Amino acid sequence: MSEPDEAPVIITINGQAVEARKGAMLVDAAKAVGVEIPVFCYEPRLGKPIGACRMCLVEVEGMRGLQTACSTPVARDMVVNTTSDQVKDAQNGVLELLLANHPLDCPVCDKGGECPLQDRTFQFGPGETRILEPKNHFPKPLDLSPLVALDRERCIACFRCVRFSEDVAEDGQLTFHERGDSTEIATFSGEPYEGRFTGNTIDLCPVGALTSNPYRFVSRPWDIKNAPSICAGCSVGCNLEITERDGEIKRVTGRPDPNMAVEEGWICDRGRWAFPALTAGDRLVMPEIVDQVGRRHVRIERAVGDAGAILRRSGIRVAFLLGTPVTVEDGFLALELSHLLDDAPVARLGVSDDGLGPLRALPGAQMHDMDGADVIVMVGGDPSSQQPVTELRLRKARRNGARVAMVGPRPTALDGNTAEALRTVPGRLGDAMDVVAERLLGSSRAIVLWDECDLAAEPVAADALARLVASTPGARAIELAADVSGPGLRALGIPATGVLEQIEAGEVDVLITVKADPTTGPGGTRWAAALNQVPTVIALSTHRSPIVDLAAIAIPVLYGLEEAGTLVSMAGRAQRLRPGAIGPEGAAAAWEVLVGLSHRMGQPLPDRTAAQAFDRMAKRFPAFSGLTCTDLGLLGAPIAAGTGGPAAPARRAEGEGLALVVSTPVFGDATAHRSDALDCVREETHLGLCPAEADRLGVSGSTHVRVTTPFASVLLPLVEDHRLHEAGAYLVLGDPASMAATLLPADRGPVCAVISAPVAQEVGA
Amino acid sequence: MPQLNSVYRHREFQDLLTLSGYERAGGWNGLKATLEMSPDDALYAFQRSGLRGRGGAGFPMGRKASFLPKDSGRPTYVVCNADESEPGTFKDREILDKNPFQLIEGVAIASYGVGCERAYIYVRGEYGHQAEVLRRAITECREAGRLGPDAFGPGAPFDIALYRGAGAYICGEETALLESLEGKRGQPRLKPPFPAVAGLYGCPTLINNVETLAALPPIMHRGADWYAAIGPEKSPGTKIFSVSGHVLKPGNYEIVMGETTLRELIFDLAGGLRDGREFKACWPGGSSVPVLTAEHLDTPLDYESLAGAGTFLGSGGCIVMDDSGCIVRASWRLAHFYRHESCGKCTPCREGTGWLEKILGRIVHGDGRLEDLAMLESLFGRISGRTLCALADGAVAPVQSALELFRDDFVQVIEQGGSPVPEPMGVINV
Amino acid sequence: MTAHEISEFLAPIRHEFPDQRSLILPALRFAQEEQGWLPPEAMAAVAEATGYSQAYVESVASFYDRLYTEPVGRRVISVCTTLSCMLRGSDELLAHVAANIGTNGEGTSADGMFTLQRAECLGACDRAPCLQVDSDDQQGPLTHDDADAIIGALRADGAPTRYDR
Ligand SMILES: Cc1cc2nc3c(=O)[nH]c(=O)nc-3n(C[C@H](O)[C@H](O)[C@H](O)COP(=O)(O)O)c2cc1C
Ligand code: SF4
Ligand code: FES
């Protein structure tokens, strides 16, 4: 839907002259001046109004009968009455009729207390029921999926969920069946409603028809507190709302007041249902130290004290390694601490910046800029699986008329009806630059989405792409960043390289890791060997992992949804996390631990809150200059664009065999694996091959294959898929325990893999 | 009591089921005359004829055609509404069955006027037999070049696609019909935009009823002025009334508008009632219109006169009930119809029609209370006039008018403890 | 019914519709011709042949009375019970037909030969009380004997090779 952009006009609402934008819908115009007109079906994020529920009827002078305020555009000199007797009767009437077949089971309904139908009934309803007739009954409540429950008797047929499925997610799975008062929500033949965005239907439902299965009977609205925060699942940076009860996160939803520049209120199911990972069995809840007695639990003061004591020793050589989800404040305080420690090296686990400078210097765009794009080209990547909500924006852009092309080696969920799919030979994105140029030709509002990993692997292509975009008038770029912390840490100048090499050179006595475990990731084998040479590892970690077992001191820290801090999204938007829960008793925010260390070292840093740390940081780093924590507010703000960097020479893939095409689906990562709720949609580690290639390699039909690179050799499940290019082996990373990521070099550079049939007993086991 | 078979020309001529028979009877003269005019002149002729839509609303056909933008840069469509599902209405069925070529010719004429190269005829799903007759007629026209690449002259193509519905009254509502024709659930659209501006596939679209379009060939052949001069000024032409219910000769009657009264239609043309029976009520324009009593029998049959009597001409489906029938039971049966046929999009209709049916059912079955009547009265206004399409209004009108005009009957049924099942009229051979 | 067969059926009419979504209803009707109803596999085949989701296809199918998403008998008998027909004895006709085929009101006969349903106005009020077998021409006015004769003839004919409902 196009935004009303015309000049304001004067209209009269309930006797008062007010200014409104011509073409805006009456409901919105009224709302802007504080007049509430009740609605159910109206939801502009779903597209044009449909005028179905009839809740919003108002009187407009000169128009016959009542008009639906949701679909009547403002016009000059309109005179509107939203409180006349006739309007009241209409509101009473619609509510009375909505309740005619409603089970009125609010006391046992999960929506009770936060239900628009209930609220509207109190505000605008008749107050008493005149209905003697028996209600229509539907078959009992059922699970639409393990995540979404449906009670059809509560449904008011507002079309919101089915429009979401058809017009936003475009998954075509959730539809109305039957008609009239038999209308019901259903999937095909009762199959589960599966997808990446299904939970949004729960947020959209204005009654208790669609509810969250994991939240079933968990709490009542008066027992809970809600906090607006940011998802730390991927680099999109969706805004969300956290529901807490008794200090624990019980629910995550889209924000009732969405961030229209980012996610528009749509979040993916990973973001919505990953939070149980925070209370998973392997959560690190108490600090551990290793001393003469052995490994034992201590209180956090003791652990930080011990660590501080180590750092105080003179001549000690320290290094920092940052993982995810690490906030900008964490990164800043690591830098601050490093200054106190002879400028100890600080590195992040992630993709090296080499050669990406030219792309990062391009004019950037925010997610919502895609809405008005005429052309969108994705180069590399697979946003549907790695930055999921991006998919919804791309679909919307297509609906708005943009031509969307996906240039890269992977098949994606967008291929076909949304994006023109231009498959490239794995490892040869560069060959497709002509095609990209062709797609950009003549466009004036193009947006190019480029994948950090894929383009880092091909610096020559990155440089070519940067030049193409720079020479296309009006074109802007968005980086599909590989991880949630990269953009923020990069803005602080923290590199992705250095620490490993220093360890290997025997120059590190103490390694402090912050939410980073390199042993299961790229270069894992090399890291593991290197870590053996580090006398002392101090691990700040949310969960148990190999590095925790290796650490002399392990300190539990808070996870994104539990802490305050700032994340920078892939579109360069700084947004604030707000704690939605208190986290384990023995844990603290990573930045707090770092400040604590400075105190124990006798050189206290001044920061008492994440906000103070942010403000101090913003003064020092040009990317954040002019921003304060307060400025970020609820919706965040874009930071300054990168200044770029030199192009880099071509890289050769290491190893032999097939080029490895790597995907890191957020539905498959460690957090997703820790959340039981996501059992039904989790993506598992596997190797994909096109059937012809599998045949050629003699592994066709086998359940597993052995994958060998110069860095590791791992047994992986095999999935044959005819959509895959035969010149590549498609590695999908899931559970870190599979060690599949160790097949990659430590800098995540290009690599080839030899695929072979497993020996018999390997598979049996 | 002038009858004039202008649309029902099969009642005057033999063999209208073959193209040659149709042409022998003067078929295609209307299109020929039209093709000699410019499309604008054809449009003007439609307007001058005063022909009003025969599907229910009675909107002037020519005016509607003139609303289609000419410079939209998109194709223009003509859609013929052959969904005929209004209770008591079966006039289009006879056109499809017996005079399909006249409909095809009419569709072609309208299409020429609005610049349409492909028209659609949407036939209700239940009309399987009728669709087959029409399909054969279309095929014959194609084979004879009457439809196809040169239908409107060399290089001037025109063709018709037949589309079958699948059982849903609501698909007679024009925007629901368009949705259905687009392969969707037949649920009405929000208006504006009206189909004339954004109709089928979002393109300018003229939708007309079968009878409306089938009226065009004689109009174009004999001249718009000829037609305009028949009947009253505001309701010119002929109209087919389908008469059913408690009459001895149910059937279709094409009459000159305004020159026949309801009484003549029922008692003269449709054979009147059984001996010993008194007229009780009739729904003159399909079941979606307010009911009339014996007092109204002398109303002339035209749009204005029927409106004056507090009802509508509607589709011309005149359902007659004699004094053996019970108005409460009849109202309940109609309420059932609308509940079953509501598409479910608007709250007042989806929930309200069901509520009406339940209350009336309760009264019919002896569980009525006198307060129910006040409740019904308050419900009417909460359903009617508050929805996207007119189905809800149609559901309320017959019940509301019945309660107004026959309140005593309602009270009596409640007090008696229900409405006994009457002896049905059964099969009577006249 | 396979997606391929449906596609072949659609091929000659594809050009009639600028938006291929319009093919869903004809495809569903065609798919129903084989078994007289639309089992999930038939709807899935329509989905494949038209490129729309299975749920969408079922959603469309279930909107319409004459598309059956549950099994029905070899002949579907619709007795119109709307007002004009009611006034002329449709309820009694319905009950009579039910007694004849052994259903208690609407439903499918034990031998699977007939499904009886009450229908809304069939556009044949001049033939009231009337019934319709599948989508054949509406028959009426019918005495109960007439109805018995129709049913008897249908029994003798057995099942049609294609179903048009
Ligand atoms: C619920 C409903 C059902 C309708 N059914 C029919 C119908 O079966 N046939 C028809 O021609 N018009 C029907 N109409 C009227 C159409 O919406 C539309 O006005 C008509 O097709 C226009 O053609 P006309 O101008 O030639 O009458 C119906 C309207 C409503 C609200
Ligand atoms: S009035 Fe009834 S039939 Fe018409 S659109 Fe609304 S719900 Fe559907
Ligand atoms: S909000 Fe306007 S009709 Fe539903």
Side-chain angles (χ1 to χ4, degrees):
Chain A
M1 239 187 54
S2 62
E3 293 288 306
D5 49 2
E6 290 166 77
V9 291
I10 303 293
I11 64 171
T12 309
I13 301 184
N14 300 336
Q16 268 202 289
V18 300
E19 221 176 58
R21 287 197 161 278
K22 187 168 172 225
M25 294 305 158
L26 269 182
V27 232
D28 296 323
K31 193 169 172 190
V33 297
V35 174
E36 192 192 350
I37 300 170
V39 298
F40 285 115
C41 67
Y42 182 57
E43 174 47 87
R45 292 178 297 151
L46 297 172
K48 293 206 175 97
I50 57 166
C53 75
R54 319 304 289 176
M55 189 63 220
C56 64
L57 291 171
V58 296
E59 252 179 85
V60 179
E61 249 175 45
M63 294 173 98
R64 233 184 59 212
L66 299 175
Q67 307 299 317
T68 42
C70 71
S71 65
T72 306
V74 166
R76 185 180 302 280
D77 298 332
M78 232 175 197
V79 179
V80 186
N81 193 327
T82 75
T83 55
S84 68
D85 287 349
Q86 208 195 350
V87 172
K88 282 244 142 62
D89 181 64
Q91 291 170 345
N92 280 341
V94 169
L95 283 164
E96 178 177 52
L97 288 161
L98 281 175
L99 298 177
N101 281 306
H102 191 87
L104 303 175
D105 56 350
C106 310
V108 295
C109 177
D110 270 332
K111 198 88 176 186
E114 43 187 32
C115 171
L117 178 61
Q118 209 177 27
D119 297 347
R120 296 291 97 87
T121 305
F122 286 133
Q123 265 178 291
F124 300 95
E128 102 266 16
T129 168
R130 309 184 289 163
I131 300 164
L132 298 176
E133 321 309 323
K135 296 185 185 272
N136 294 347
H137 288 295
F138 281 101
K140 63 175 170 16
L142 55 85
D143 289 345
L144 269 184
S145 76
L147 296 169
V148 184
L150 167 64
D151 184 329
R152 289 182 281 217
E153 295 190 344
R154 296 181 188 147
C155 169
I156 60 165
C158 70
F159 284 74
R160 286 172 168 231
C161 60
V162 295
R163 289 172 73 203
F164 176 80
S165 170
E166 181 171 353
D167 300 335
V168 178
E170 298 180 351
D171 59 30
Q173 287 194 53
L174 202 61
T175 50
F176 274 144
H177 283 194
E178 307 300 327
R179 68 169 191 240
D181 62 356
S182 305
T183 305
E184 60 180 11
I185 291 163
T187 53
F188 177 67
S189 209
E191 286 169 5
Y193 177 34
E194 274 169 2
R196 290 177 294 279
F197 308 104
T198 65
N200 294 303
T201 59
I202 300 171
D203 291 351
L204 284 166
C205 182
V207 298
L210 293 173
T211 50
S212 162
N213 255 329
Y215 190 62
R216 189 141 220 195
F217 304 133
V218 168
S219 16
R220 306 296 292 171
W222 44 89
D223 296 326
I224 59 174
K225 279 212 305 270
N226 292 330
S229 194
I230 305 297
C231 180
C234 79
S235 56
V236 173
C238 294
N239 293 218
L240 42 73
E241 183 154 277
I242 305 169
T243 296
E244 168 246 89
R245 178 187 174 173
D246 303 334
E248 264 185 32
I249 296 177
K250 296 296 180 193
R251 176 177 70 175
V252 165
T253 62
R255 273 213 203 145
D257 272 323
N259 192 336
M260 300 308 277
V262 184
E263 84 297 334
E264 287 189 283
W266 314 133
I267 60 175
C268 76
D269 289 353
R270 156 66 162 70
R272 184 180 301 266
W273 282 300
F275 69 87
L278 304 188
T279 46
D282 64 346
R283 182 78 199 259
L284 200 58
V285 292
M286 279 291 277
E288 293 172 12
I289 60 168
V290 181
D291 58 14
Q292 296 83 337
V293 191
R295 200 167 187 89
R296 62 193 179 94
H297 289 298
V298 295
R299 293 163 57 94
I300 189 160
E301 292 79 6
R302 166 75 196 274
V304 174
D306 283 12
I310 294 173
L311 298 180
R312 220 167 29 214
R313 289 187 207 143
S314 68
I316 201 123
R317 293 165 305 174
V318 181
F320 291 85
L321 186 65
L322 311 180
T324 56
V326 155
T327 63
V328 174
E329 289 81 353
D330 296 342
F332 171 64
L333 286 161
L335 289 175
E336 290 282 278
L337 210 53
S338 102
H339 293 321
L340 304 178
L341 292 161
D342 296 330
D343 287 329
V346 180
R348 58 188 172 84
L349 274 183
V351 181
S352 147
D353 298 333
D354 289 352
L356 294 177
L359 281 170
R360 290 194 172 123
L362 292 170
Q366 292 290 304
M367 296 288 280
H368 70 293
D369 292 324
M370 283 192 249
D371 297 0
D374 55 359
V375 169
I376 297 184
V377 185
M378 283 174 281
V379 183
D382 179 3
S384 302
S385 105
Q386 303 181 143
Q387 297 90 3
V389 164
T390 312
E391 175 182 333
L392 299 183
R393 279 285 181 190
L394 285 162
R395 291 187 183 277
K396 183 177 181 188
R398 204 269 347 270
R399 291 193 299 275
N400 286 356
R403 286 180 46 204
V404 182
M406 165 73 211
V407 182
R410 301 171 192 79
T412 78
L414 294 157
D415 293 359
N417 70 346
T418 301
E420 181 192 6
L422 301 158
R423 277 303 88 78
T424 56
V425 181
R428 316 249 320 248
L429 263 185
D431 295 355
M433 287 309 137
D434 288 352
V435 188
V436 175
E438 214 172 274
R439 294 301 174 279
L440 292 178
L441 202 69
S443 90
S444 56
R445 302 181 313 278
I447 296 204
V448 172
L449 302 176
W450 57 274
D451 185 77
E452 183 183 10
C453 281
D454 287 357
L455 282 145
E458 294 188 50
V460 175
D463 188 41
L465 179 63
R467 275 186 279 123
L468 256 178
V469 178
S471 63
T472 306
R476 287 178 287 173
I478 295 180
E479 170 176 358
L480 296 167
D483 68 84
V484 63
S485 297
L489 297 183
R490 244 188 354 255
L492 300 176
I494 297 175
T497 48
V499 166
L500 175 59
E501 294 74 10
Q502 251 150 330
I503 296 175
E504 284 173 334
E507 290 164 6
V508 176
D509 305 315
V510 178
L511 177 68
I512 303 180
T513 62
V514 182
K515 300 181 186 174
D517 187 342
T519 62
T520 56
T525 321
R526 190 172 151 203
W527 270 104
L531 287 177
N532 281 332
Q533 302 177 36
V534 179
T536 308
V537 172
I538 300 173
L540 278 56
S541 184
T542 58
H543 290 80
R544 194 154 273 297
S545 80
I547 194 102
V548 168
D549 297 331
L550 208 95
I553 301 176
I555 303 176
V557 287
L558 299 178
Y559 181 86
L561 299 171
E562 299 160 337
E563 60 185 331
T566 307
L567 291 173
V568 177
S569 77
M570 65 187 201
R573 192 178 192 88
Q575 303 182 106
R576 293 181 60 191
L577 293 163
R578 287 179 185 73
I582 49 182
E585 209 186 312
W591 67 266
E592 260 182 299
V593 174
L594 297 173
V595 172
L597 289 175
S598 73
H599 283 263
R600 299 310 167 112
M601 286 160 53
Q603 294 168 278
L605 292 166
D607 315 282
R608 291 178 175 278
T609 63
Q612 280 174 359
F614 182 89
D615 290 347
R616 220 155 61 76
M617 181 269 313
K619 288 204 187 80
R620 301 256 278 277
F621 289 87
F624 298 90
S625 97
L627 287 177
T628 66
C629 192
T630 327
D631 294 337
L632 298 187
L634 273 175
L635 301 177
I639 64 170
T643 46
R651 300 181 67 166
R652 250 182 56 89
E654 296 188 62
E656 280 161 26
L658 291 173
L660 208 52
V661 179
V662 186
S663 308
T664 314
V666 291
F667 279 89
D669 71 1
T671 310
H673 270 85
R674 289 188 177 104
S675 168
D676 298 342
L678 294 172
D679 277 351
C680 56
V681 283
R682 198 174 290 133
E683 286 183 60
E684 299 296 349
T685 313
H686 66 265
L687 190 89
L689 285 177
C690 97
E693 190 58 26
D695 211 33
R696 202 181 61 75
L697 293 168
V699 296
S700 173
S702 59
T703 58
H704 287 71
V705 282
R706 176 150 288 284
V707 184
T708 308
T709 67
F711 311 102
S713 179
V714 181
L715 188 69
L716 293 175
L718 172 68
V719 172
E720 293 177 54
D721 182 343
H722 65 88
R723 297 172 307 160
L724 304 179
H725 199 288
E726 54 183 33
Y730 290 74
L731 176 63
V732 175
L733 296 177
D735 187 358
S738 71
M739 301 302 273
T742 63
L743 290 165
L744 311 178
D747 67 354
R748 261 184 159 287
V751 62
C752 293
V754 174
I755 317 292
S756 52
V759 270
Q761 67 265 39
E762 281 187 321
V763 181
Chain B
M1 193 184 46
Q3 266 192 276
L4 175 61
N5 289 319
S6 171
V7 174
Y8 277 177
R9 291 174 78 245
H10 57 279
R11 293 190 173 187
E12 310 285 327
F13 297 91
Q14 302 280 307
D15 192 27
L16 291 197
L17 284 178
T18 61
L19 184 55
S20 52
Y22 180 65
E23 287 176 352
R24 272 197 303 279
W28 247 265
N29 287 337
L31 181 62
K32 276 185 206 136
T34 310
L35 293 179
E36 281 164 16
M37 308 178 183
S38 71
D40 278 351
D41 287 346
L43 274 183
Y44 184 54
F46 303 161
Q47 294 190 48
R48 272 199 344 245
S49 74
L51 172 66
R52 292 173 63 168
R54 303 296 193 227
F59 195 84
M61 182 271 166
R63 246 179 83 206
K64 188 151 78 179
S66 74
F67 291 158
L68 272 71
K70 295 209 167 57
D71 48 4
S72 72
R74 317 193 57 184
T76 296
Y77 294 109
V78 167
V79 175
C80 169
N81 188 342
D83 191 61
E84 187 168 66
S85 319
E86 177 71 17
T89 313
F90 43 88
K91 62 188 179 71
D92 298 342
R93 190 200 73 211
E94 189 172 328
I95 299 172
L96 298 168
D97 260 350
K98 304 269 170 61
N99 196 7
F101 291 102
Q102 188 165 333
L103 174 61
I104 293 171
E105 188 184 349
V107 172
I109 290 170
S111 297
Y112 177 77
V114 299
C116 153
E117 293 185 358
R118 174 171 304 285
Y120 297 87
I121 302 181
Y122 185 101
V123 184
R124 74 178 290 193
E126 292 86 342
Y127 281 1
H129 170 72
Q130 290 76 14
E132 186 51 31
V133 175
L134 187 60
R135 196 187 58 74
R136 280 201 299 262
I138 290 174
T139 309
E140 215 186 321
C141 288
R142 283 195 191 131
E143 283 163 359
R146 293 283 183 209
L147 292 175
D150 304 310
F152 288 165
F158 172 69
D159 207 343
I160 297 178
L162 178 63
Y163 202 83
R164 279 186 72 190
Y169 165 66
I170 190 58
C171 291
E173 196 280 340
E174 54 189 18
T175 59
L177 184 152
L178 294 176
E179 291 280 295
S180 182
L181 184 44
E182 288 181 10
K184 303 176 186 161
R185 294 160 61 80
Q187 293 187 309
R189 299 175 182 168
L190 192 66
K191 286 170 272 194
F194 290 92
V197 176
L200 188 62
Y201 309 120
C203 300
T205 302
L206 175 70
I207 306 185
N208 278 116
N209 170 256
V210 169
E211 186 187 348
T212 316
L213 292 167
L216 287 175
I219 292 177
M220 298 311 279
H221 175 49
R222 304 178 68 166
D225 300 331
W226 161 77
Y227 196 79
I230 305 174
E233 196 192 330
K234 288 188 172 164
S235 301
T238 65
K239 170 78 189 102
I240 305 162
F241 281 86
S242 306
V243 190
S244 66
H246 287 150
V247 290
L248 292 175
K249 279 173 32 191
N252 288 314
Y253 302 95
E254 183 171 2
I255 55 170
V256 172
M257 201 87 81
E259 295 182 10
T260 304
T261 63
L262 188 55
R263 185 188 303 280
E264 288 164 335
L265 176 71
I266 296 170
F267 288 88
D268 298 339
L269 295 174
L273 308 173
R274 289 169 289 176
D275 282 348
R277 284 292 165 202
E278 293 278 313
F279 177 89
K280 173 84 180 182
C282 96
W283 295 260
S287 68
S288 305
V289 304
V291 68
L292 295 180
T293 66
E295 259 178 61
H296 302 112
L297 279 173
D298 293 313
T299 312
L301 296 171
D302 61 75
Y303 291 100
E304 278 66 36
S305 307
L306 283 163
T311 188
F312 302 109
L313 185 146
S315 65
C318 177
I319 308 171
V320 179
M321 187 171 82
D322 66 25
D323 60 353
S324 70
C326 167
I327 192 78
V328 186
R329 181 175 288 275
S331 302
W332 169 54
R333 187 55 57 99
L334 289 179
H336 170 81
F337 172 83
Y338 292 101
R339 200 272 296 146
H340 185 262
E341 300 298 342
S342 166
C343 83
K345 194 168 181 180
C346 314
T347 308
C349 174
R350 180 183 67 245
E351 305 295 339
T353 51
W355 202 2
L356 279 185
E357 185 192 359
K358 284 176 184 169
I359 297 174
L360 290 165
R362 201 157 44 69
I363 297 176
V364 165
H365 292 114
D367 292 323
R369 308 161 311 160
L370 285 173
E371 309 92 271
D372 288 337
L373 301 183
M375 181 141 94
L376 280 172
E377 276 159 355
S378 74
L379 212 51
F380 296 143
R382 290 184 161 188
I383 300 171
S384 192
R386 299 211 168 145
T387 54
L388 271 170
C389 88
L391 183 139
D393 302 359
V396 167
V399 183
Q400 182 169 19
S401 55
L403 185 52
E404 270 162 26
L405 298 173
F406 298 98
R407 194 180 180 90
D408 292 349
D409 294 50
F410 281 81
V411 171
Q412 197 192 348
V413 168
I414 291 171
E415 286 176 345
Q416 266 175 17
S419 157
V421 180
E423 186 66 32
M425 178 169 174
V427 178
I428 292 180
N429 293 312
V430 206
Chain C
M1 178 89 40
T2 64
H4 180 72
E5 287 169 275
I6 295 171
S7 295
E8 285 197 335
F9 161 76
L10 295 177
I13 57 168
R14 267 184 204 280
H15 74 280
E16 294 183 344
F17 306 101
D19 182 343
Q20 300 289 292
R21 193 196 294 256
S22 291
L23 295 167
I24 291 176
L25 213 47
L28 281 165
R29 282 199 148 282
F30 176 71
Q32 183 165 277
E33 283 183 15
E34 187 173 72
Q35 284 175 265
W37 69 291
L38 292 162
E41 308 78 64
M43 290 189 278
V46 170
E48 197 186 326
T50 57
Y52 284 82
S53 78
Q54 299 177 345
Y56 181 82
V57 168
E58 187 173 1
S59 166
V60 171
S62 68
F63 186 86
Y64 298 96
D65 286 343
R66 290 296 180 96
L67 294 172
Y68 298 91
T69 54
E70 301 284 338
V72 283
R74 292 188 283 283
R75 305 308 307 246
V76 175
I77 302 177
S78 304
V79 175
C80 173
T81 58
T82 310
L83 186 53
S84 301
C85 281
M86 178 191 96
L87 295 174
R88 285 186 162 247
S90 63
D91 295 9
E92 292 74 9
L93 179 65
L94 183 85
H96 183 79
V97 174
N100 181 319
I101 64 172
T103 54
N104 186 12
E106 292 180 276
T108 299
S109 61
D111 59 1
M113 181 66 208
F114 297 108
T115 291
L116 172 63
Q117 63 184 18
R118 59 182 288 192
E120 300 306 335
C121 185
L122 291 172
C125 322
D126 51 341
R127 302 176 187 170
C130 69
L131 63 71
Q132 183 176 35
V133 178
D134 295 330
S135 72
D136 299 352
D137 202 8
Q138 303 85 340
Q139 308 186 53
L142 300 177
T143 63
H144 293 183
D145 288 346
D146 296 338
D148 290 341
I150 291 171
I151 294 165
L154 291 174
R155 269 211 189 91
D157 286 353
T161 48
R162 305 297 280 180
Y163 298 90
D164 187 343
R165 300 190 149 151

